[in-house]
Structure formats: structure tokens, C-alpha cells
């Protein structure tokens, strides 16, 4: 489990294709605190640490992960949002995030709003995921509040701190992002479908 509060921006230093798998090596300030077999969210995707080397560590994304996320589009020297799994008893500053990406979305617009930014994303509604106005959404691993919720589109408002300390500063129109929809919203939707 994660919270959607980004701890560090890692830098991709190597990408190695191995059959259908992609080994991703990252340089990060949190590497010295990691252990092999530990879970770390990368742009919201939970991956297992497979090797450690000083300031670098490696994780592996399998075919299923690469098909459903934006990890296949990573490039060397690109930044990635990182968060270690939450500790039992810690404050839940964001919301409950599983690290299981539901689908990707495309950035439709970035609008500067006199001190903050409004990002609008469009996603495929045929996968039956929904956003709820003022509900939670995870975009590339960042816990955010939904505004302007529509059937296949939503926006999020980004404060300067989040903009500077996450990959939001590098997102632009047509950027592909990972989405994890709010687990509580999924539960409520399912109850509604079952008419409970």
C-alpha cells in the first residue's frame, strides 16, 4: 500500500529489454534505504527491487505491466516519481493507493492559473473506470483531488510544491500518464451496479 505522496524523483540510468521484460535501473536519494524484494511505486506502478548498487537500484516490469502503464515509454535520463510502501501506523497524508495502475490517460491541456496549474486528462471510458468530483485519483503515483469530473475526462489542480517535486513539471499536452482510480470509488460504483 502507498499514499500517493512522492518521496523522491529518481532518474532512469539504464533500460534493458530481456525477452518481454524491461529491467529499469534508477538513481535515487532513497536507494541506500532500500532492500532487495522491497516494493517501490514508480509513477504509481508497484515494482520489486531486484538489485542494489550504491546509489542505483533495479526493478523489472513484465509484459502485462508494460502493456497497461506508461513504463514502456520511459527513456534514459528521464525522471520518475518514487514512493516506498507505507509503514503501518504512519499518517495517511494522501489516500489509499495500491500501486496497481488501472489504465493510462493522455494529457489534453496544461493551464497556468496565476500560481497553480490545471491539468486535464482524457481516458478510455470503455474500461468502466470513473472519477468522482472532489474524489481522489492517482496520476503517475501522485495523490490528487478530481475537479471537473466527466465521463472520460477530469482535471486536477497542481500547487507549486507538487509541480516542482514531481514529474508534473515535465508533463505537456499528449503526455501519457498512469491512472489508479480511487479504491473507495470503485467499491461504491460496484455497490451501485449491484443495487445494494
Amino acid at each position: 500500500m502507498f499514499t500517493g505522496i512522492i518521496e523522491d524523483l529518481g532518474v532512469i540510468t539504464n533500460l534493458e529489454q530481456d525477452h518481454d521484460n524491461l529491467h529499469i535501473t534508477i538513481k535515487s536519494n532513497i536507494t541506500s534505504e532500500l532492500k532487495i524484494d522491497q516494493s517501490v511505486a514508480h509513477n504509481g506502478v508497484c515494482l520489486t527491487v531486484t538489485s542494489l548498487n550504491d546509489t542505483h537500484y533495479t526493478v523489472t516490469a513484465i509484459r502485462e505491466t508494460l502493456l497497461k502503464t506508461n513504463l514502456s515509454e520511459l527513456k534514459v535520463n528521464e525522471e520518475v516519481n518514487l514512493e516506498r510502501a507505507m509503514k503501518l501506523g504512519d499518517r495517511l497524508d494522501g489516500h489509499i493507493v495500491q500501486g496497481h495502475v488501472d489504465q493510462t490517460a493522455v494529457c489534453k491541456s496544461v493551464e497556468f492559473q496565476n500560481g497553480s496549474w490545471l491539468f486535464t486528462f482524457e481516458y478510455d471510458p470503455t474500461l468502466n473506470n470513473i472519477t468522482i468530483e472532489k474524489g481522489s485519483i492517482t496520476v503517475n503515483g501522485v495523490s490528487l483531488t478530481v475537479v471537473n469530473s466527466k465521463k472520460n475526462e477530469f482535471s486536477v489542480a497542481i500547487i507549486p510544491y507538487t509541480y516542482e517535486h514531481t514529474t508534473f513539471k515535465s508533463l505537456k499536452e499528449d503526455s501519457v500518464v498512469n491512472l489508479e482510480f480511487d479504491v473507495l470509488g470503485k467499491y461504491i460504483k460496484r455497490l451501485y451496479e449491484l443495487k445494494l
Side-chain angles (χ1 to χ4, degrees):
M1 288 290 188
F2 303 90
T3 67
I5 304 299
I6 303 306
E7 288 186 76
D8 190 30
L9 280 172
V11 177
I12 306 297
T13 60
N14 191 46
L15 296 166
E16 181 185 337
Q17 198 72 43
D18 178 15
H19 301 286
D20 285 345
N21 300 334
L22 180 64
H23 302 296
I24 306 165
T25 301
I26 298 127
K27 181 179 181 182
S28 168
N29 294 323
I30 63 172
T31 301
S32 63
E33 301 171 44
L34 298 179
K35 297 176 184 169
I36 290 178
D37 288 337
Q38 191 169 6
S39 295
V40 178
H42 302 76
N43 280 351
V45 182
C46 178
L47 298 171
T48 302
V49 175
T50 58
S51 69
L52 292 163
N53 182 5
D54 297 325
T55 59
H56 296 70
Y57 70 93
T58 302
V59 293
T60 301
I62 62 172
R63 182 175 187 270
E64 175 75 6
T65 303
L66 296 171
L67 289 174
K68 292 192 174 173
T69 70
N70 67 1
L71 296 186
S72 63
E73 298 185 18
L74 291 175
K75 294 175 178 46
V76 171
N77 295 322
E78 185 175 342
E79 290 183 319
V80 61
N81 294 324
L82 301 177
E83 180 190 0
R84 289 174 290 170
M86 63 185 275
K87 294 179 188 173
L88 197 59
D90 276 359
R91 289 186 191 89
L92 185 60
D93 291 323
H95 71 280
I96 296 171
V97 176
Q98 295 178 300
H100 304 156
V101 171
D102 294 304
Q103 66 183 96
T104 58
V106 175
C107 183
K108 299 313 288 180
S109 66
V110 180
E111 182 183 339
F112 182 69
Q113 295 192 319
N114 198 27
S116 66
W117 291 262
L118 187 72
F119 286 78
T120 299
F121 298 97
E122 184 177 66
Y123 62 94
D124 179 359
T126 63
L127 298 177
N128 293 321
N129 291 308
I130 61 167
T131 58
I132 300 168
E133 190 72 21
K134 305 298 183 229
S136 296
I137 186 79
T138 306
V139 177
N140 273 356
V142 182
S143 173
L144 299 164
T145 301
V146 171
V147 295
N148 303 327
S149 177
K150 298 179 183 172
K151 182 179 178 182
N152 67 327
E153 184 180 287
F154 67 94
S155 298
V156 290
I158 304 297
I159 64 171
Y161 183 88
T162 302
Y163 187 84
E164 289 300 323
H165 291 87
T166 68
T167 59
F168 268 93
K169 65 181 173 286
S170 62
L171 293 182
K172 53 189 177 299
E173 199 171 303
D174 293 328
S175 291
V176 177
V177 297
N178 295 322
L179 298 181
E180 181 180 327
F181 293 82
D182 187 5
V183 69
L184 296 176
K186 290 180 204 176
Y187 180 71
I188 291 166
K189 179 179 184 274
R190 185 66 180 139
L191 289 177
Y192 178 78
E193 289 170 346
L194 295 172
K195 296 182 172 40
L196 294 178

